């Protein structure tokens, strides 16, 4: 079945530096790739998503890139801030069901 | 819109008791999902409804779990009898199934269940 692998499981960066989280998926029919941020004790919230007809999408300090040939996509956060500390989940979908990555705990060091 | 509304936010119960979790999706959304989240297993899809009809319940752990969606604005997840291993945060999420917002999930705040 469909599988999504996410790396790293934990990422620690200095405040102001960039952070990159990578995901690979197995189902070549996948066409929707969202990223969710979950702060401690809160609900997952969509921060950015990309569909398979584009290769990159940006929203202020956040960007997502998609390589359909290699079946991987990445989340890029620039100029990290303390409020970026959270667990980030990637997911992939070809129908109603999102297949989730295991999550990356992002730690922003002051 | 107030978003996806879940109740209760916290539930502490004893093993063997019945637990009912409730969800009101975003108005106009026709897809509804129940997820369970634990540290060990991450986010697990339990059941998916489309237009109030259960489409995929393959994630429901066992017969002790059941879910209903009697109308477009209400769904329940019931556990009977509850067991300590059911302790988790249960999220309800809703989305549209077509158009520009297709598959964009909005989650409720979750129901944290503790079974003693």
């Amino acid at each position: 079945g469909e599988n999504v692998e996410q790396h790293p499981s934990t990422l620690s960066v200095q405040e102001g530096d960039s952070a990159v989280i990578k995901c690979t998926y197995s189902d070549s029919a996948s066409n929707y790739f969202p990223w969710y941020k979950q702060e401690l004790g809160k609900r997952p919230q969509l921060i950015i998503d990309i569909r398979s007809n584009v290769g990159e999408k940006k929203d202020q300090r956040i960007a997502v890139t998609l390589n359909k040939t290699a079946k991987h996509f990445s989340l890029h956060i620039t100029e990290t801030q303390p409020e970026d500390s959270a667990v980030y989940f990637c997911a992939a979908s070809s129908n109603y069901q999102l297949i989730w990555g295991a999550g990356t705990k992002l730690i922003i060091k002051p | 819109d107030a978003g996806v509304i879940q109740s209760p936010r916290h539930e502490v119960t004893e093993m063997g008791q019945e637990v009912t979790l409730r969800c009101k999706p975003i108005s106009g959304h026709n897809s509804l999902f129940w997820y369970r989240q634990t540290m060990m297993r991450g986010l697990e899809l339990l059941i998916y409804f489309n237009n109030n009809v259960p489409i995929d319940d393959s994630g429901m752990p066992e017969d002790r779990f059941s879910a209903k969606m009697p109308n477009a604005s209400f769904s329940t997840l019931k556990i009977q009898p509850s067991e300590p291993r059911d302790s988790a945060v249960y999220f309800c999420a809703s989305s549209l199934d077509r158009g520009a917002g297709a598959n964009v999930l909005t989650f409720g705040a979750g129901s944290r269940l503790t079974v003693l």
Side-chain angles (χ1 to χ4, degrees):
Chain A
E2 167 75 285
N3 183 49
V4 174
E5 293 190 359
Q6 182 171 348
H7 299 281
S9 57
T10 304
L11 178 61
S12 184
V13 302
Q14 205 70 38
E15 182 179 346
D17 287 351
S18 296
V20 180
I21 303 171
K22 299 181 179 181
C23 289
T24 59
Y25 60 97
S26 59
D27 185 357
S28 56
S30 294
N31 55 14
Y32 176 61
F33 308 90
W35 286 88
Y36 283 78
K37 174 183 179 182
Q38 187 175 26
E39 297 177 21
L40 189 62
K42 301 287 183 64
R43 75 193 79 186
Q45 291 193 295
L46 180 73
I47 55 171
I48 195 167
D49 59 6
I50 192 167
R51 298 191 188 263
S52 59
N53 55 345
V54 296
E56 183 176 1
K57 184 176 179 180
K58 279 186 177 180
D59 183 3
Q60 300 183 352
R61 297 186 297 109
I62 294 173
V64 57
T65 58
L66 171 65
N67 183 326
K68 288 220 73 179
T69 303
K71 291 193 282 189
H72 66 69
F73 57 113
S74 300
L75 177 71
H76 304 253
I77 306 174
T78 58
E79 301 172 16
T80 53
Q81 300 170 4
E83 55 264 36
D84 296 329
S85 293
V87 177
Y88 291 80
F89 293 95
C90 66
S93 171
S94 61
N95 51 36
Y96 64 86
Q97 184 168 358
L98 288 177
I99 307 299
W100 296 85
T104 296
K105 183 176 183 179
L106 177 62
I107 300 166
I108 307 300
K109 296 182 290 186
Chain B
D1 199 316
V4 178
I5 306 298
Q6 288 187 248
S7 65
R9 291 293 312 279
H10 302 273
E11 175 92 5
V12 180
T13 191
E14 293 190 344
M15 183 173 62
Q17 296 299 304
E18 178 178 294
V19 173
T20 299
L21 308 179
R22 297 172 178 80
C23 176
K24 175 179 166 53
I26 289 175
S27 178
H29 281 189
N30 60 349
S31 291
L32 184 140
F33 304 79
W34 282 100
Y35 281 92
R36 177 171 67 178
Q37 187 176 40
T38 60
M39 288 294 293
M40 292 297 295
R41 301 170 72 98
L43 268 169
E44 300 175 275
L45 176 64
L46 300 177
I47 189 168
Y48 160 61
F49 290 89
N50 184 250
N51 295 321
N52 313 339
V53 176
I55 302 300
D56 181 357
D57 65 355
S58 59
M60 295 286 264
E62 49 200 88
D63 291 346
R64 297 185 298 107
F65 284 67
S66 63
K68 293 182 180 180
M69 192 164 185
N71 56 63
S73 58
F74 184 65
S75 177
T76 59
L77 178 68
K78 187 174 292 187
I79 308 172
Q80 167 63 17
S82 57
E83 296 182 3
R85 61 190 167 125
D86 301 331
S87 298
V89 179
Y90 290 81
F91 286 105
C92 176
S94 70
S95 73
L96 294 166
D97 68 352
R98 63 194 64 209
N103 300 338
V104 179
L105 289 185
T106 299
F107 283 82
S111 294
R112 181 175 295 277
L113 174 63
T114 302
V115 183
L116 304 175

